[in-house]
Amino acid sequence: MKNTVAICVLVAAMLAGGCGKPSADERVNVASGVGSDTLMNNIILRPVAKAFSALIGEGIEVQQTTLRTNDEGFLELQVSGYNRSYSIRRFDYIVEWVDKDGMVLPSKTNVWQPMSVQPKSKFSILSIAPRAEAVDFRMNTRKQPK
Amino acid sequence: MKHTAIMIISAIAMIVLAGCRKPTTNIDMTNDEGKPVIALDYRDFDKAATAMVESLMRSGVLKKKDGSRYVVATGRIINDTMQRIDTDQLMAKVEQEMMNSGQVVMTSAVGGRGATDVMIDEMRNIRDSAQAEEFAGQTLPEKGQLVAPELSMSGKIIQRNIRYDKDTEQIEYYFQLQLTEIASGLRFWQEEKIIGKRGDRRNVSW
């Protein structure tokens, strides 16, 4: 009887503890192992989730691209996304800017740039057009050469 | 008989040794998938220059109030690394992008290492010498024609070697640039880009 009560109290405590989100503000990301364990993210389930994530091949997801013209008349680009995997994702990206005729504007900044994103975290890539003639962009990514 | 055998063995040895040589290949500069190297290579300069240019463009300091273009000179760029680096590897890209942006014009008349084009001084020396008689007078540069720079770009490349563990060395490269208004001495912009590498201690980084 005493054991049953103790187990119930323990489960209740785990549930109560597990209900609390590591961050009350979604703009603040509390990494796994930094915040408190939850019912779905704890020392037992975490390795399973990681293995499952790797199995289904979770990775980078681009969620939004924002273009704006700054005060100097140059286009600025922000590519926002999310790393769905449980591991740090490192990749290279390259941004090319095109003019109104669709011609690529040659630039010394058209080079592969490295990017590194924490697991289960949002990221942003910023770029700026090299000339005021740019009206659009195109971007490519690749796995970083080892 | 013995002499012939030695000749054949020598010939075979030479063929085998020649076959062991690595063939020369061209680097795919656009999609180079080569391994990183412990010293600074062109990819590092590309990354540093791009970060610098994007930061400078984003800062908005190159926009002149009257709509005209700033005249910019490249001042001293110090190579404080253990490698023999021509700092133009960095600055040529930065200067090119600054000019292509249409916001600035670079001057070749003055710079941290003197005029970047010796002919500017050379033609003035000729003008002031007896040699001037050999040239049509109106084709020689007149006095008071050079345009003084309004902004100066200066900077430094720093290297720090740190022992990471028994076999590994960590090398940090700091690329620092700053843009200063010459008349007022005020610094309009500055940026730092760090590139770090870890490798075998036996690898030499110079």
Side-chain angles (χ1 to χ4, degrees), chain A residues 65-79 95-103 105 107 109-110 125-138, chain B residues 53-60 97 101 103:
Chain A
T65 57
T66 310
L67 271 175
R68 74 167 181 200
T69 306
N70 68 13
D71 294 342
E72 290 73 45
F74 293 89
L75 273 181
E76 284 186 292
L77 165 70
Q78 177 175 283
V79 177
V95 180
E96 288 180 320
W97 294 90
V98 293
D99 65 14
K100 62 179 173 49
D101 301 318
M103 300 287 279
L105 295 167
S107 167
T109 58
N110 288 358
I125 293 171
L126 295 172
S127 185
I128 185 164
R131 299 189 214 163
E133 298 93 78
V135 296
D136 204 359
F137 77 98
R138 59 183 187 218
Chain B
V53 167
E54 293 209 337
S55 165
L56 186 57
M57 299 280 288
R58 206 172 285 118
S59 70
E97 284 307 301
S101 76
Q103 296 180 296

Side-chain angles (χ1 to χ4, degrees), chain A:
Chain A
M1 182 63 185
K2 270 186 181 177
N3 285 346
T4 312
V5 172
I7 289 166
C8 287
V9 169
L10 189 65
V11 169
M14 278 176 69
L15 285 173
C19 289
K21 281 186 177 177
S23 171
D25 189 334
E26 68 173 23
R27 290 173 297 183
V28 182
N29 181 44
V30 180
S32 176
V34 176
S36 307
D37 281 357
T38 64
L39 193 62
M40 297 308 292
N41 185 359
N42 53 55
I43 197 165
I44 299 161
L45 292 179
R46 213 174 290 138
V48 179
K50 281 184 185 179
F52 184 71
S53 170
L55 186 71
I56 62 171
E58 283 185 318
I60 293 293
E61 182 182 286
V62 172
Q63 295 174 325
Q64 192 180 21
T65 57
T66 310
L67 271 175
R68 74 167 181 200
T69 306
N70 68 13
D71 294 342
E72 290 73 45
F74 293 89
L75 273 181
E76 284 186 292
L77 165 70
Q78 177 175 283
V79 177
S80 306
Y82 189 78
N83 177 11
R84 296 216 161 276
S85 81
Y86 279 85
S87 59
I88 295 172
R89 281 291 158 129
R90 296 185 181 92
F91 60 96
D92 290 338
Y93 69 91
I94 188 167
V95 180
E96 288 180 320
W97 294 90
V98 293
D99 65 14
K100 62 179 173 49
D101 301 318
M103 300 287 279
V104 172
L105 295 167
S107 167
K108 289 285 176 189
T109 58
N110 288 358
V111 294
W112 289 103
Q113 291 286 311
M115 185 70 193
S116 175
V117 188
Q118 277 286 307
K120 299 285 178 193
S121 297
K122 291 179 180 177
F123 69 92
S124 294
I125 293 171
L126 295 172
S127 185
I128 185 164
R131 299 189 214 163
E133 298 93 78
V135 296
D136 204 359
F137 77 98
R138 59 183 187 218
M139 184 176 172
N140 201 358
T141 59
R142 70 174 183 186
K143 281 179 77 173
Q144 281 186 352
K146 291 188 176 174

